[in-house]
Amino acid sequence: MLTPQEFVADLANPALSFLPKALFVALMSSAVCGVIGCYVVLRGMAFIGDAVAHAVFPGLAIAFVVQGNLVLGGAIAGVLTAVAVAVFSQNRRLREDSVIGVFFVGAFALGIVVISRSPGYSGSLQQFLFGSITGIPDEDIQVVGVSTAALLVLAFLLHKEFVAVTLDRESARALGLPVFALDLALYVMVSIAVVISVQTIGNILVLALLVTPAATARLLTDRLAAMMLIAPLLGGLSAVTGLYLSWSLDLPTGGTIVLVATGLFLLAWTLAPRHGLLSRLWRRRRSPLAA
C-alpha cells in the first residue's frame, strides 16, 4: 500500500496527470453535493436525488456519442426532465412521486439505448455507471469549476427561500414565495450537482455523495449553517481518503469513496455527542436516576 507521501508524489507526477484532475473533480463534487445535499436531506428528497441521477444519464450518453461536453449534456437532460416532472405534476390525479418514477426511469432507459449504439458499448456503460478516474477531459475541469462556483453562489442567494419552503411550504406560499419556481430551481441544482459528480463516482453511486455526508452532518449538529459547513468537509474527506485508498489498493474509485462516506456516517450514528447511539443510551440510563 502506498504511503501518503507516495500518493502526494503521484499527484505531482506529470505522467499521472489524470490523478489530480480526478481529485479536483471529487473535491468540487463533495463541496456542491454537501451543500445541496443538506436541502435534500432536510426535505426528505432522497428519492428525488436518486431519480435525478437517472435523469441525467441520457444527456451524458448523447454527449458521449457525439463527442460533446458531458457536463453540459447531462445538465440539459436533467433540467428538461425536471421541468417535465414539474409540469406533469400539476395534474393532481397523479402523485408527484409517480410522475418522477415514470420520467426518470424512462430517461435512464433512453440513456441505455443511446449508449448501446456507440462503439465500445460495454466499456462506455461501465464508465458511466461506476465512474472512471482516467476518463475526465481537460475541458471538463473548467466546466466543473465554474458550475460548482455558480451553484454555491446560487445556493447562498436562495438560502432563506429554500429554508422557508423546507420548513413549511404552505406558510412560504402564504408569504408570497414562488414555491413552484423554488422547487424547480432546486431540482435543476440537484441535476447539475449530480452531473458534476458522475464522472468520478458513477451514475449508480452518485446519490451517496449527495445524501450521506449531509445525513452525517445532520447527526453532528442541530444548526443548519453548521450542517452546511460540515457536510462538504465530510464529503471532501471521503473523496481524498477514498481516492487514496483506491489508488493504493487498486479498488474502484467511486465505490471506495462511498464506503468511506458510509463509514463516517456509521461513526457519527454511533458516537455523535447528542444524537449518537451511545449518547442516547447514556441519557436513557441516567434518566431514571435523575428522576
Side-chain angles (χ1 to χ4, degrees), residues 78-185:
V79 169
L80 291 177
T81 312
V83 171
V85 168
V87 171
F88 278 80
S89 296
Q90 301 307 301
N91 184 341
R92 295 306 175 184
R93 181 72 176 174
L94 292 174
R95 287 172 55 90
E96 185 180 35
D97 57 352
S98 299
V99 177
I100 289 171
V102 169
F103 274 95
F104 287 160
V105 175
F108 188 75
L110 175 60
I112 295 288
V113 172
V114 170
I115 200 70
S116 70
R117 307 303 298 172
S118 69
Y121 161 57
S122 297
S124 301
L125 184 60
Q126 183 175 2
Q127 174 184 336
F128 281 122
L129 295 181
F130 302 107
S132 172
I133 63 171
T134 61
I136 304 175
D138 289 337
E139 58 269 19
D140 281 0
I141 299 297
Q142 299 177 356
V143 176
V144 166
V146 172
S147 300
T148 298
L151 284 179
L152 293 177
V153 169
L154 189 58
F156 174 77
L157 294 176
L158 296 177
H159 176 70
K160 291 182 179 179
E161 288 79 4
F162 282 151
V163 171
V165 173
T166 297
L167 296 179
D168 192 331
R169 296 176 64 84
E170 295 307 318
S171 295
R173 189 174 283 110
L175 291 172
L177 292 179
V179 174
F180 174 79
L182 290 169
D183 284 344
L184 191 58

Side-chain angles (χ1 to χ4, degrees), residues 15 22-23 35-36 42 84 137 161 166 183 187 209-210 216 229 250 257 275 289:
L23 180 60
V35 172
I36 296 176
L42 290 175
E161 288 79 4
T166 297
D183 284 344
Y187 284 5
L209 199 60
L210 192 67
T216 306
L229 289 175
D250 193 24
I257 291 173
H275 304 291
L289 298 178

Side-chain angles (χ1 to χ4, degrees), residues 26-47:
L27 288 174
M28 293 299 97
S29 302
S30 302
V32 71
C33 285
V35 172
I36 296 176
C38 290
Y39 299 118
V40 171
V41 168
L42 290 175
R43 293 181 61 169
M45 290 173 57
F47 172 66

Side-chain angles (χ1 to χ4, degrees), residues 1 16 30 70 75 148 176 190 257 274 283:
M1 181 172 174
L16 301 174
S30 302
L70 296 181
T148 298
V190 170
I257 291 173
R274 292 193 60 188
R283 288 197 301 270

